[in-house]
């Protein structure tokens, strides 16, 4: 089996939506499969809040886990690496190779931290266009992503209608709900309230909140229920986890601070909260998507309460109002929002047949 | 209009479920209405996590807000103070007059803090029995409460079957879900991670998490949507609230630290998480409730995702399996879990007619 490798490009400057100039900008990315001669088989995959460029395969035999969407990307899979050239880059503001708050600020020689400028979902998309240009890819066969990744896919479709022929937004929204903003804000407060450097207790708490919202009540019941770690006693007060669900959350929090930067968490969640694609249509999502020429496959999971169905339908309805070519699939999986990362079979069927139906490869 | 007054009783010792002895114990309580000659018209109301003894009326003309359940308690209301004698006491472990972690530990002359023993929902009930004895009330006409208050009402019905004739558990559960434990645990982590004394940043974060879970997605959309505080700009980063929902949460967090003790939050949420009434029936909720002789009215709100309907139905089913006299009402109100505090009209109809149907006054 071939191992995959993270690669990098760097460019001098990115002009942000705020008007600020950021530079130099480095982008970390991986590719799977082979770009065909006329460069028509490229699929750009966007990752979610805590993801990275390592979407599939392994970097070495020692690596315990494959990339975060290995179930869907690879030979014979939904995004079939024997047919397609799949690209995934770490987003702007991230902490896994692409320029973000933990990168060195050339003005000071120190990490940006909160001197990093506010970035948007559109800035994240704009940051990956030079990568496509670098590869000589003018028109993507498809773009896709789950959660925040779906927002980037929608933004790319809206802002670069000539550069993509098929769009697959999964478990996502054109603008998140007040409840979603609220959960993100509490996570940010936990980080900002932590006086330590780095504010890892705060980051762990933010991640724990996130994990509760990524799972469904049903999935948590099945996975943990009220199971306790040991005997029910009165000696454990608050320090050690008593219930298995507490132990799980604590583990998720601790694992996260090993690999993620608290400032990236602040900047990326803020970009998610600020994202409202309808702004580009002066408040009309229909108008914001009016120039899209792509086919669309919108996927929602019935147990996803963080990105509820009305948000998926808002996208579908806006596209239908534009007489766009849109398919809508609700997949029955009870993992909650995390379903896009976990459920493979139904997503594979839906995506593979949708891509097979594209006559533009 | 008459003003209400918080009163106190004190007793020497309470033996806790853990076997530990706690004493002296003070209980803060209020009453509304008049106890009749044969002491048969008393209703014991239990409050939720952050509640107190001040359930109705005002202490003075200056007080801005009436008690937390003023919509339901008073003359002509659901718990009609012209007919009934309504009692509400601050729970054991609380911080509003009843002994809790912020009380002085007689052994050290300082507040207990984390030296306070672990307490349970049953301990909270046991702590209010001396109050009933003090008043000479052997048998309550009814007991009720929402959320944690409903757990106490169920526990009283299960543990003291001879002392209550009607039970009205509202928006509650006989054992909370893994998801509920998870939210409480993250709140506790935020408090424990805060190095300051008192850990008010942590307490504010815990409260913010709580508030998200008390509201429905629909209620948040209607109340806040994506409305922003001021102009959409790139100058606000993370310090000041950008969205109205952020401002609301921040306000709730700050208001809470003015009136609540972080240690009480730890101890009370832990009691909620540990509560599992079925334990008293060796795992069978039916058996745990087997000795109950009361009539029951179980109320659930259709938008309450923190205490979902399957939890209400678990109680109803266990009672039905015992051939108990049980009515079940689902009330259509979209405020989420907070509905029990906000919705008045339908609760009043259901409760007033249920109480009127009691022939045991």
């Amino acid at each position: 089996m071939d191992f995959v490798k993270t690669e990098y490009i760097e460019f001098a400057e990115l002009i942000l939506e705020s008007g600020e100039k950021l530079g130099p900008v480095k982008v970390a990315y991986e590719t799977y499969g082979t770009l065909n001669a006329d460069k028509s088989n490229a699929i750009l995959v966007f990752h979610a809040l805590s993801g990275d460029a390592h979407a599939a395969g392994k970097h070495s035999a020692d690596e315990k886990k494959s990339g975060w969407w290995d179930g869907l990307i690879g030979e014979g899979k939904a995004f079939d690496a024997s047919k397609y050239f799949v690209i995934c880059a770490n987003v702007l503001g991230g902490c896994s190779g692409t320029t973000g708050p933990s990168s060195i600020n050339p003005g000071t020689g120190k990490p940006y931290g909160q001197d990093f400028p506010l970035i948007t979902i559109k800035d994240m998309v704009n940051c990956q266009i030079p990568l496509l240009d670098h590869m000589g890819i003018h028109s993507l066969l498809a773009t896709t992503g789950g959660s925040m990744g779906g927002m980037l896919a929608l933004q790319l479709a809206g802002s670069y209608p000539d550069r993509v022929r098929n769009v697959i937004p999964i478990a996502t929204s054109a603008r998140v709900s007040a409840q979603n903003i609220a959960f993100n804000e509490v996570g940010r407060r936990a980080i900002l309230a932590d006086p330590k450097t780095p504010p890892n207790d705060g980051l762990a708490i933010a991640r724990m909140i996130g994990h509760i919202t990524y799972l469904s009540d049903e999935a948590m019941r099945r996975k943990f229920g009220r199971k306790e770690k040991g005997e029910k006693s009165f000696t454990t007060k608050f320090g050690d986890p008593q219930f298995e669900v507490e132990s799980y959350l604590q583990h998720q929090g601790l694992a996260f601070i090993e690999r993620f930067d608290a400032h990236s968490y602040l900047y990326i969640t803020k970009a998610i909260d600020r994202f409202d694609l309808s702004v580009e249509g002066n408040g009309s999502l229909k108008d914001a998507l009016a120039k899209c020429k792509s086919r669309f496959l919108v996927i929602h999971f019935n147990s996803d309460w963080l990105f509820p169905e009305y948000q998926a339908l808002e996208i579908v309805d806006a596209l239908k109002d534009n007489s766009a070519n849109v398919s809508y699939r609700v997949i029955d999986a009870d993992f909650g929002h995390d379903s896009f990362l976990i459920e493979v079979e139904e997503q594979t069927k839906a995506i593979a047949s949708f891509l097979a139906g594209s006559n533009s490869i």
Side-chain angles (χ1 to χ4, degrees), chain A residues 16 37 82 91 104 117 139 163 187 211 236 239 246-247 289 330-331 335:
Chain A
L16 302 174
S82 67
V91 298
I104 298 297
S139 171
R163 297 198 73 155
H211 265 281
T236 297
E246 295 173 331
S247 177
L289 290 165
V330 179
I331 293 179
F335 310 105

Side-chain angles (χ1 to χ4, degrees), chain A residues 22-24 99-106 108 110-117:
Chain A
L22 182 72
T99 298
S102 56
S103 302
I104 298 297
N105 177 351
T108 64
K110 292 178 187 164
Y112 285 100
Q114 284 198 44
D115 289 334
F116 199 73

Side-chain angles (χ1 to χ4, degrees), chain A residues 216-225 227 334-335:
Chain A
S216 67
D217 178 48
E218 173 61 28
M220 289 191 117
R221 253 195 298 168
R222 198 182 50 235
K223 196 166 178 176
F224 310 111
K227 284 198 289 281
D334 77 354
F335 310 105

Side-chain angles (χ1 to χ4, degrees), chain A residues 24-134:
Chain A
V25 174
K26 196 160 96 170
V27 177
Y29 67 97
E30 294 190 5
T31 65
Y32 319 98
T34 309
L35 189 60
N36 61 8
D38 61 357
K39 304 189 171 184
S40 65
N41 69 337
I43 297 178
L44 182 60
V45 169
F46 293 113
H47 66 72
L49 166 55
S50 66
D52 54 33
H54 187 32
K58 292 190 172 191
H59 291 144
S60 71
D62 300 335
E63 198 174 53
K64 281 188 191 156
K65 275 180 74 177
S66 302
W68 58 268
W69 227 12
D70 193 71
L72 270 72
I73 300 171
E75 294 194 6
K77 298 180 183 175
F79 299 103
D80 189 342
S82 67
K83 293 184 196 170
Y84 309 124
F85 179 64
V86 182
I87 309 159
C88 183
N90 187 214
V91 298
L92 179 71
C95 50
S96 305
T98 294
T99 298
S102 56
S103 302
I104 298 297
N105 177 351
T108 64
K110 292 178 187 164
Y112 285 100
Q114 284 198 44
D115 289 334
F116 199 73
L118 267 193
I119 51 168
T120 66
I121 296 292
K122 195 172 184 175
D123 291 329
M124 294 181 190
V125 170
N126 289 342
C127 183
Q128 298 194 26
I129 298 295
L131 176 62
L132 301 182
D133 293 343
H134 166 77

